[in-house]
Amino acid sequence: MSRHILTHLSRTDPVLGGLIRAVGPRRLETSADGHPFQILARAIAHQQLNGTAANTILKRLVDSVGAGVFPTPEQVLAAPAESLRAAGFSFAKVAALRDLAEKTLAGVVPDAATLRELSDEEIIARLTQVRGIGRWTVEMLLVFQLGRPDVLPVDDFGVRSGFQAAYGLSRLPLPRALAAWGERWKPYRTTAAWYLWRANELKRAGTLPEPAERIRLPRIRRARRRVTRKVAAKARARALRSAGTSSAPLRRSGARKRSRPRRAPRSRAPGSRK
């Protein structure tokens, strides 16, 4: 780990500097092995599963579809859906895996050499076009596969909880507030994120240092949602149904009900013509 990076982070952020001194030099291991197709296929398999279960599914995929080696995109597309389901992939993951294969063959998901030449945002823009692949998944690829130095995964729970612990906050920081605070860590936000992950370990061990200073995160205004008349009418109708009242269309708010006088029935003389 470059001393220059640690010095830069410590000078720009005293709280992070205290965490760096408590943890010591960073030891982030990266692995550039594997085609992006394989990396993302593994990420799809791991979604909402523990590591053991996901690795079991991947082994079945290798054995049944790849004949002992990791299958190619062509083999995934040629395999019946029943084979992928038998390996342990859910219907949603089967759809995601096939979409990944199609976009790999179409060039949306590039090969490893091309991927290394793209910027972080270009990689995120291209890979998040794949069904089931979100920004967080691509950020993990940027950090642990490509070793990009300036990635801050603000949606990652470990990063947010580590920030809360290290800075002595009463609640988790909002992702946008964390992103605004992290601007001071550029261009080494990956290193900052690594130390925030370590903050959780120090907290569990009872060795997390007290923050060097108390901070106040920038206030981020939430964007107001524009509610259309149609959406508002549907919401009012649902409210009425849940209350057990009629679901007939509601009048506009504030509109007065016009009462019309009822006409008296005309009296007819007995024997008059109808």
Side-chain angles (χ1 to χ4, degrees):
M1 166 55 58
S2 169
R3 177 59 57 181
H4 167 74
I5 296 177
L6 300 184
T7 301
H8 168 79
L9 293 174
S10 298
R11 285 178 177 175
T12 57
D13 191 333
V15 178
L16 186 61
L19 181 60
I20 290 172
R21 289 189 293 273
V23 174
R26 168 187 143 187
R27 300 177 302 277
L28 176 61
E29 297 180 359
T30 60
S31 173
D33 296 335
H35 190 283
F37 170 76
Q38 295 184 18
I39 297 170
L40 295 177
R42 295 179 187 278
I44 291 172
H46 277 79
Q47 289 172 355
Q48 300 178 338
L49 292 176
N50 61 47
T52 302
N55 289 331
T56 300
I57 291 174
L58 288 168
K59 185 179 184 306
R60 292 174 187 158
L61 178 71
V62 168
D63 293 339
S64 61
V65 179
V69 296
F70 204 93
T72 64
E74 293 86 351
Q75 288 175 316
V76 168
L77 291 176
E82 293 76 11
S83 298
L84 301 177
R85 290 279 294 132
F89 287 91
S90 65
F91 287 108
K93 289 185 178 182
V94 168
L97 192 61
R98 286 186 161 177
D99 189 56
L100 171 63
E102 290 175 354
K103 286 186 168 60
T104 300
L105 295 178
V108 176
V109 177
D111 56 33
T114 304
L115 195 70
R116 286 192 293 269
E117 296 175 356
L118 300 175
S119 69
D120 294 353
E121 289 303 321
E122 287 173 331
I123 293 173
I124 291 172
R126 289 180 66 163
L127 299 189
T128 52
Q129 295 180 48
V130 178
R131 178 171 180 166
I133 298 297
R135 184 182 181 94
W136 178 87
T137 300
V138 183
E139 287 172 338
M140 295 302 102
L141 180 149
L142 292 171
V143 171
F144 294 104
Q145 299 293 330
L146 300 181
R148 295 295 173 93
D150 196 33
V151 180
L152 180 59
V154 296
D155 294 310
D156 184 88
F157 178 79
V159 169
R160 295 174 64 200
S161 61
F163 188 93
Q164 178 189 9
Y167 290 76
L169 303 181
S170 60
R171 64 183 65 181
L172 286 174
L174 295 174
R176 287 198 296 166
L178 178 55
W181 182 268
E183 288 291 313
R184 70 197 63 205
W185 301 331
K186 286 183 174 181
Y188 307 116
R189 289 180 293 179
T190 299
T191 298
W194 186 86
Y195 278 101
L196 294 178
W197 279 319
R198 304 286 79 73
N200 294 301
E201 299 172 359
L202 294 187
K203 181 180 179 180
R204 288 193 292 269
T207 58
L208 183 66
E210 289 292 325
E213 61 184 24
R214 293 295 176 180
I215 70 163
R216 178 174 295 179
L217 287 175
R219 296 179 65 117
I220 305 295
R221 291 186 176 180
R222 295 184 178 181
R224 294 182 177 180
R225 296 178 58 188
R226 297 183 62 184
V227 181
T228 63
R229 291 183 180 178
K230 186 176 181 180
V231 173
K234 288 183 177 180
R236 289 195 296 267
R238 285 196 299 269
L240 281 178
R241 285 196 295 270
S242 63
T245 57
S246 173
S247 60
L250 298 176
R251 297 186 304 276
R252 294 178 58 182
S253 177
R256 296 181 178 178
K257 181 180 178 180
R258 296 181 180 179
S259 58
R260 295 182 178 179
R262 297 181 61 182
R263 294 182 180 179
R266 296 180 180 179
S267 59
R268 295 180 182 272
S272 62
R273 192 187 311 177
K274 292 183 180 180

